[in-house]
Amino acid sequence: QVQLVESGGGLVQPGGSLRLSCAASGSIVVIYVMGWYRQAPGKQRELVARIPTGGSTNYADSVKGRFTISRDSAKNTVYLQMNSLKPEDTSVYYCNAVAKSASGISPNNYWGQGTQVTVSS
């Protein structure tokens, strides 16, 4: 199994910045993709950004130019630097990993518990 633990959420004023972190642990054989999704009340979960191993990053149009995803493969950790935050960025942010564990035959989709980001004055 693979566990994802997020940190870094909180309350920030519009125009401010936050940095989210997500560390993967467990019997990891290989991680194919790490990324961030978010879900606001009454809305579907949506992709924010993702970073495949050895591939190009992908961003939602709504965060391009403001958010930056990065990854430390040696630490199995993914980060999301969020700048110029807007009230509409308020959501629960979930870390995601597509990974193969030692006990699995094929890759699985793993989720963190979520961290609240609130942008408000």
Side-chain angles (χ1 to χ4, degrees):
Q1 288 296 320
V2 177
Q3 295 82 41
L4 303 177
V5 178
E6 302 123 332
S7 60
L11 172 65
V12 64
Q13 292 186 342
S17 298
L18 280 176
R19 189 191 194 211
L20 305 182
S21 300
C22 171
S25 63
S27 56
I28 300 168
V29 174
V30 60
I31 297 177
Y32 296 99
V33 185
M34 295 193 81
W36 292 93
Y37 289 71
R38 66 186 181 186
Q39 187 169 19
K43 294 188 177 181
Q44 289 188 336
R45 190 171 296 189
E46 62 176 3
L47 172 69
V48 177
R50 63 194 293 269
I51 182 168
T53 301
S56 301
T57 56
N58 303 111
Y59 292 93
D61 288 343
S62 59
V63 306
K64 283 180 181 177
R66 300 187 298 122
F67 291 10
T68 302
I69 189 170
S70 61
R71 183 173 159 188
D72 185 335
S73 295
K75 296 182 179 179
N76 290 329
T77 300
V78 65
Y79 306 95
L80 186 67
Q81 179 66 42
M82 304 185 292
N83 299 328
S84 303
L85 281 160
K86 304 175 181 179
E88 51 263 44
D89 294 317
T90 296
S91 280
V92 177
Y93 284 70
Y94 295 92
C95 179
N96 170 262
V98 178
K100 186 177 182 304
S101 69
S103 59
I105 298 175
S106 56
N108 280 326
N109 214 14
Y110 296 94
W111 295 95
Q113 79 283 0
T115 184
Q116 177 70 45
V117 171
T118 302
V119 184
S120 175
S121 54

